[in-house]
Amino acid sequence: MDKRQFIIQRAVKEIKDGMNVNLGIGMPTLVANHIPKEFHVMLHSENGLLGIGTYPKADEIDPDLINAGKETITEVKGASYFDSAESFAMIRGGHIDLAILGGMEVSQNGDLANWMIPGRMVKGMGGAMDLVQGAKRVIVVMEHKNKYGKSKVKKECTLPLTGKGIVDLLITDLAVFEYTSKGMMLIERLNRATVEYIKEHTQADFIVHETLNQR
């Protein structure tokens, strides 16, 4: 199975019926295609839509219907449109139950860096900085290692931060970490990874849940 599929399938389990959910640009948008059909979940986009559906088939494409990442999308029954100011008021007002965001780096303290790499031109920070403060719960999904094989789960982030201490759950292709009062805790192993392998490929310090198989 593709690495991203492990991540997305695990992330979908965090979505509950009746939630208002914001899916960040990139990998998080893939979650939309895997939400159980019997769930009534309203997906929110910063550019002014509540009620995003799955990605469109060829005969469903409407070039005027896009998400915050400028990808063509569909709408669900009951969807509504509004301006960006109203959309951000929803975020800042605490009306988003769950934000699932991508990450470039996450620290053992729950810091997130996901909006820029110094020296590269970016058009703006987008809505991530509002989402990490306004959403009731923040989940980050990302591959465990970068293209050079280095851990993206770090003691401290080296890239500009999106938010400090704001991650509730981190899901990678190797593991699921929960941020608790005791610290960063490994609660699940994915993709057949052992605890030993996860420790070897994670720069951050973490504790292992007492019920987790240590092998």
Side-chain angles (χ1 to χ4, degrees):
M1 188 182 298
D2 180 82
K3 288 181 180 180
R4 292 191 167 197
Q5 288 301 316
F6 278 105
I7 299 170
I8 295 304
Q9 288 187 10
R10 178 57 185 82
V12 169
K13 294 180 180 179
E14 298 300 314
I15 296 178
K16 309 302 179 187
D17 192 15
M19 277 186 168
N20 292 328
V21 180
N22 183 286
L23 302 178
I25 294 171
M27 193 193 314
T29 60
L30 300 175
V31 171
N33 282 356
H34 297 275
I35 297 173
K37 293 182 178 180
E38 65 271 19
F39 279 16
H40 180 69
V41 172
M42 298 299 275
L43 298 180
H44 171 272
S45 182
E46 299 98 293
N47 61 325
L49 173 60
L50 182 66
I52 297 172
T54 58
Y55 281 112
K57 298 177 182 177
D59 59 350
E60 297 176 324
I61 294 176
D62 180 347
D64 293 323
L65 189 57
I66 60 173
N67 62 18
K70 298 180 176 60
E71 299 172 308
T72 52
I73 54 175
T74 60
E75 60 183 6
V76 300
K77 184 177 181 180
S80 59
Y81 299 89
F82 31 84
D83 59 32
S84 291
E86 187 78 13
S87 184
F88 276 85
M90 293 174 65
I91 297 170
R92 295 167 184 168
H95 302 291
I96 304 301
D97 298 301
L98 178 66
I100 301 179
L101 305 174
M104 296 175 182
E105 293 178 346
V106 174
S107 80
Q108 64 192 37
N109 296 321
D111 304 335
L112 169 65
N114 81 340
W115 74 281
M116 75 166 295
I117 297 176
R120 294 189 182 181
M121 187 183 74
V122 293
K123 294 181 179 180
M125 64 185 67
M129 290 184 179
D130 290 272
L131 284 164
V132 298
Q133 300 298 331
K136 295 176 183 176
R137 191 160 183 254
V138 175
I139 295 174
V140 175
V141 295
M142 67 181 191
E143 293 187 14
H144 204 92
K145 296 177 285 186
N146 62 24
K147 63 181 179 180
Y148 303 108
K150 301 295 184 181
S151 174
K152 296 167 64 175
V153 188
K154 297 179 169 290
K155 293 181 183 295
E156 294 184 6
C157 293
T158 58
L159 297 173
L161 293 183
T162 306
K164 295 191 69 174
I166 48 74
V167 180
D168 294 299
L169 195 74
L170 169 62
I171 303 172
T172 77
D173 52 304
L174 299 181
V176 180
F177 297 97
E178 184 176 9
Y179 288 83
T180 73
S181 58
K182 296 179 181 179
M184 182 180 178
M185 180 181 291
L186 175 66
I187 61 170
E188 291 181 37
R189 299 179 292 113
L190 300 180
N191 203 5
R192 299 181 180 178
T194 63
V195 172
E196 183 181 25
Y197 185 87
I198 294 168
K199 287 182 176 179
E200 183 182 346
H201 292 87
T202 305
Q203 187 195 87
D205 295 323
F206 61 89
I207 56 179
V208 180
H209 193 278
E210 59 186 9
T211 62
L212 197 63
N213 190 332
Q214 294 290 311
R215 290 180 296 173

